[in-house]
Amino acid sequence: MDVLPALSQWLDSLPDGLKPQMGFEKILRFMVLSSRLKDDILLAQAAEHPVAEPPVLLPPSVHHFLAGACNIPSKPVEIIEGLWSCVRRLVWNELSFLSDPTFPLQDHVLHGYKYGIACNINYHNNFSVKDGVRTYYPGVPDVIQVSDHHFAERELVDSWITLMVVAWASASNCARFYNTALSPNKDRRDVPSDIGWSFKAEATYEHVYDGFTILSLLEDCQKRDTVLEIPHTGLQKNRLNDAVRALNNRRCFYQPEMHHRCDVCFRTYNAVGKPCRVVVLDGVTLGRPCCSSYNCKIPLTSPKHRYCPGHENQYGNICCIKGCAAQKVPGRKTCADGVHQEVENAYNEQGTARFQLQKQLQRAFVSHPDSSEPNAESQDPTEPNIDELIEVEKDTPKGKLKAEFGRRRTHNEQVIVYPCGMILLRETFYGAEGPGSVIELIKRVFRVPGTKPQHIFYDNNCTIAKTVKGQDPKNSNTKDPWFDDIKLTVDVFHFKSKHSVNDTWCRQNCNPVGHPELLGEGGKAWYFNSSIAEQTNVWLGGYHSICREMSQDRYEFFLDEMVACKNKITFERLREGGSNPRYHTPGL
């Protein structure tokens, strides 16, 4: 079809209100710009697409760029598609003279960069590079570049993440499973070296973890209708750090499951339709390295350090004996005081035996080791207990001395869970699981009006309730009206087995039997599963060996991604089970 008749038909097909706006200048600009974008248009086509044949459809990035640069509406898509259909053969084969290097660059600068189209840009499979910045294309690709020379299908990366969620598989074991069971190269891994390649045809734990991280970040960007930008320079393991940290910071202020409802965790009780929404709190100890200054939340420079940068300057060279401000002797953890050094000697003498006991304890409690292969780099018994914070007391002629050796770890992960199993929140507690910290957490999480639950189960709610109701005999000035419309009860298991029968106040105020809306129907004792947080923590505890040496940013990112993935699985299970899972906006 000739260009001019085709353009005439295209103009006639436009809405009446748009026709006067579609002048010759815009059409000419469209043709000039698209002629300069042949490489960008071909990049999105199948490998076998003929170079001399203009594609029928434009890539989304080019579509939006041309719409913005030419001031043509990008929606409905038929407008741009129709114009391209009219001029594509002319643009493709007969306007090569327009590739003059003096072609004005301002359109690329103004409209192209956010779509990955600009001058002096290097294009790769998933991203473009300009001025040392790697900008990923919008959306989530089917194939993800996980290293300079390795690519993984999105389905494969999803399978690795699923293994992490349902089987507590580490990145090392995910890679090992792929190489052993799935890889098409498992019987010919020497082929790359035979043909002179400097890389192997197998997955490594770095590929697994980078694929997991990149996919998670791209999915987050897709939800927020933005693109991922990271440094292109430096080590691969460090390029994603800022993006991971930014996502962690956003999650501190928004919990996506805040407005979850389903028939398992929410009920309308009695004839007047009284709503009853329940959440359950509990903590589990995983423990990553943190600053040895009590309750300090400042990140360590490295997980191997004892103190954050600020406290390292303050305490890093100080004797480990509590109360001693003298400098450490080189090669020791104590000062030149002979008595102090005796405490350290006693600690070292007990080291080998304690190390063996710790290993036995780890084998007993950690059911999911980080790797299925023996660890050739196990802890050196000559440097005992560097992994854990150990407090030592010793009677000396100067009295009882106390010392701290090793690294401090975070105290616990506090989770808030709905009785249906959907996890609302995971947060790290540093110093202790004290009532004040729990109260602050509850008030901060449910700070938005309309989000408060009617019931909160927690194994130490008798202490929490006494505090917020002003009934604490040690401090009667703690009454907090914020909790007036929330009932604080102890879950059934802890109430029966862990709370004294002589605690009259607890039995009168925190007994779940005293609240009819919690009782079951049709012969069931209870409507809500008040032990769900403990059951969730059994799952969360399986990551103990995987994440115990992670940095703060990676630790939080990993666990939150595991929680998000588990919530997807739980939501689908609730949907299939007819529990009507949904998201409720307060006031609507």
Side-chain angles (χ1 to χ4, degrees):
M1 181 181 292
D2 190 59
V3 172
L4 290 179
L7 284 173
S8 177
Q9 292 184 17
W10 172 72
L11 286 169
D12 288 341
S13 69
L14 296 176
D16 291 339
L18 186 60
K19 290 178 182 178
Q21 305 175 32
M22 202 57 61
F24 176 74
E25 180 186 355
K26 291 184 179 181
I27 297 174
L28 180 60
R29 179 180 287 267
F30 180 94
M31 296 169 64
V32 171
L33 290 176
S34 57
S35 72
R36 291 294 304 267
L37 297 174
K38 290 177 63 175
D39 290 342
D40 299 270
I41 296 170
L42 280 174
L43 187 65
Q45 310 305 315
E48 62 272 13
H49 184 89
V51 175
E53 179 67 21
V56 175
L57 297 176
L58 294 170
S61 58
V62 175
H63 179 112
H64 288 288
F65 164 70
L66 291 173
C70 303
N71 194 22
I72 299 175
S74 63
K75 294 181 180 180
V77 296
E78 289 79 9
I79 296 175
I80 295 291
E81 288 180 354
L83 180 54
W84 171 248
S85 178
C86 296
V87 303
R88 64 189 181 99
R89 294 194 181 277
L90 177 64
V91 164
W92 207 257
N93 298 314
E94 300 182 36
L95 297 183
S96 57
F97 65 90
L98 292 175
S99 50
D100 187 335
T102 62
F103 181 80
L105 303 179
Q106 60 267 27
D107 289 314
H108 288 270
V109 175
L110 180 61
H111 301 285
Y113 187 66
K114 62 181 178 180
Y115 300 114
I117 301 168
C119 298
N120 300 319
I121 293 181
N122 293 321
Y123 293 97
H124 299 259
N125 183 268
N126 292 160
F127 51 83
S128 61
V129 179
K130 179 178 173 61
D131 298 332
V133 176
R134 179 181 294 185
T135 302
Y136 281 78
Y137 308 132
V140 181
D142 293 329
V143 177
I144 297 173
Q145 185 170 349
V146 296
S147 74
D148 289 341
H149 302 288
H150 292 82
F151 298 81
E153 293 181 353
R154 179 180 179 179
E155 290 185 358
L156 176 60
V157 179
D158 277 329
S159 72
W160 288 336
I161 297 174
T162 301
L163 278 174
M164 295 176 184
V165 176
V166 303
W168 301 275
S170 67
S172 297
N173 284 337
C174 286
R176 189 167 294 114
F177 174 77
Y178 171 78
N179 293 331
T180 303
L182 301 179
S183 173
N185 300 311
K186 60 184 178 182
D187 296 324
R188 49 193 181 99
R189 293 179 186 169
D190 293 332
V191 171
S193 59
D194 292 343
I195 61 178
W197 288 357
S198 59
F199 50 88
K200 296 182 179 180
E202 62 181 17
T204 66
Y205 79 90
E206 291 97 340
H207 299 150
V208 173
Y209 196 68
D210 285 346
F212 154 67
T213 306
I214 292 170
L215 178 57
S216 300
L217 292 172
L218 289 176
E219 289 177 339
D220 172 70
C221 288
Q222 187 178 48
K223 292 175 185 176
R224 297 184 295 112
D225 194 24
T226 185
V227 294
L228 175 63
E229 292 186 340
I230 63 174
H232 185 63
T233 56
L235 297 176
Q236 171 70 8
K237 66 178 182 179
N238 297 328
R239 289 174 181 156
L240 299 168
N241 287 349
D242 289 342
V244 165
R245 189 175 302 113
L247 178 54
N248 291 343
N249 291 337
R250 287 194 297 273
R251 282 172 169 157
C252 290
F253 299 99
Y254 172 67
Q255 287 75 44
E257 306 303 334
M258 173 62 71
H259 303 300
H260 168 79
R261 300 284 192 281
C262 74
D263 297 342
V264 180
C265 63
F266 179 85
R267 74 185 296 195
T268 302
Y269 176 72
N270 70 25
V272 298
K274 181 181 179 181
C276 183
R277 178 170 170 246
V278 172
V279 298
V280 189
L281 274 73
D282 198 17
V284 60
T285 298
L286 295 181
R288 60 165 172 79
C290 63
C291 180
S292 290
S293 180
Y294 184 79
N295 211 31
C296 175
K297 298 179 176 64
I298 300 175
L300 300 173
T301 303
S302 162
K304 299 300 182 183
H305 289 186
R306 286 194 65 198
Y307 294 102
C308 68
H311 288 118
E312 178 66 30
N313 294 333
Q314 188 174 0
Y315 303 120
N317 292 317
I318 301 300
C319 177
C320 288
I321 302 296
K322 290 186 176 181
C324 179
Q327 295 286 309
K328 293 190 296 186
V329 172
R332 299 188 68 98
K333 299 178 176 64
T334 51
C335 62
D337 189 312
V339 177
H340 291 184
Q341 292 187 6
E342 288 180 9
V343 177
E344 183 181 359
N345 293 339
Y347 162 77
N348 290 332
E349 289 171 1
Q350 299 172 13
T352 301
R354 186 182 293 116
F355 169 75
Q356 294 171 348
L357 292 175
Q358 285 181 330
K359 285 298 181 184
Q360 294 176 9
L361 188 64
Q362 289 177 8
R363 285 195 294 270
F365 282 93
V366 181
S367 57
H368 307 285
D370 179 62
S371 175
S372 59
E373 293 188 350
N375 183 5
E377 298 178 355
S378 59
Q379 184 178 350
D380 184 355
T382 61
E383 295 188 11
N385 311 310
I386 61 171
D387 189 52
E388 305 291 345
L389 184 70
I390 304 295
E391 293 187 353
V392 177
E393 293 186 0
K394 182 176 177 61
D395 291 324
T396 70
K398 296 184 178 181
K400 181 174 290 187
L401 295 181
K402 297 181 179 180
E404 286 186 352
F405 300 94
R407 294 180 294 167
R408 183 181 295 276
R409 291 183 175 272
T410 53
H411 187 273
N412 75 89
E413 302 305 311
Q414 197 72 21
V415 297
I416 302 179
V417 191
Y418 295 106
C420 62
M422 293 290 287
I423 303 170
L424 170 59
L425 173 125
R426 175 216 58 85
E427 181 165 313
T428 302
F429 277 20
Y430 285 74
E433 192 178 350
S437 299
V438 175
I439 292 171
E440 186 277 333
L441 173 66
I442 294 172
K443 294 179 66 174
R444 173 163 42 85
V445 171
F446 300 107
R447 63 190 180 277
V448 178
T451 62
K452 284 186 186 180
Q454 283 71 44
H455 270 275
I456 296 179
F457 282 101
Y458 178 56
D459 57 8
N460 195 27
N461 254 347
C462 48
T463 302
I464 300 294
K466 285 181 181 179
T467 302
V468 300
K469 294 179 183 297
Q471 299 297 318
D472 185 355
K474 297 180 181 179
N475 188 354
S476 59
N477 298 321
T478 57
K479 180 173 175 56
D480 189 342
W482 192 91
F483 285 89
D484 286 350
D485 53 353
I486 295 180
K487 296 178 181 179
L488 302 170
T489 48
V490 177
D491 74 83
V492 177
F493 171 77
H494 282 88
F495 187 82
K496 290 181 177 179
S497 59
K498 299 295 181 71
H499 289 248
S500 171
V501 296
N502 298 321
D503 192 341
T504 305
W505 196 94
C506 177
R507 295 192 168 269
Q508 290 178 347
N509 294 274
C510 301
N511 189 342
V513 176
H515 304 286
E517 61 270 29
L518 301 180
L519 301 179
E521 300 173 348
K524 292 179 63 176
W526 306 101
Y527 189 91
F528 301 103
N529 179 8
S530 63
S531 298
I532 188 65
E534 285 193 330
Q535 296 165 7
T536 300
N537 281 341
V538 171
W539 166 78
L540 195 61
Y543 297 109
H544 171 269
S545 61
I546 295 175
C547 60
R548 59 184 285 106
E549 292 301 323
M550 289 182 179
S551 66
Q552 177 174 330
D553 290 332
R554 293 295 181 147
Y555 177 91
E556 293 177 353
F557 176 80
F558 175 80
L559 290 181
D560 286 343
E561 282 299 316
M562 293 298 99
V563 166
C565 294
K566 182 171 176 59
N567 278 341
K568 291 179 183 178
I569 296 173
T570 302
F571 189 92
E572 185 62 21
R573 174 179 55 80
L574 292 169
R575 187 190 64 80
E576 293 177 351
S579 298
N580 188 27
R582 58 201 183 274
Y583 290 90
H584 169 78
T585 301
L588 296 181

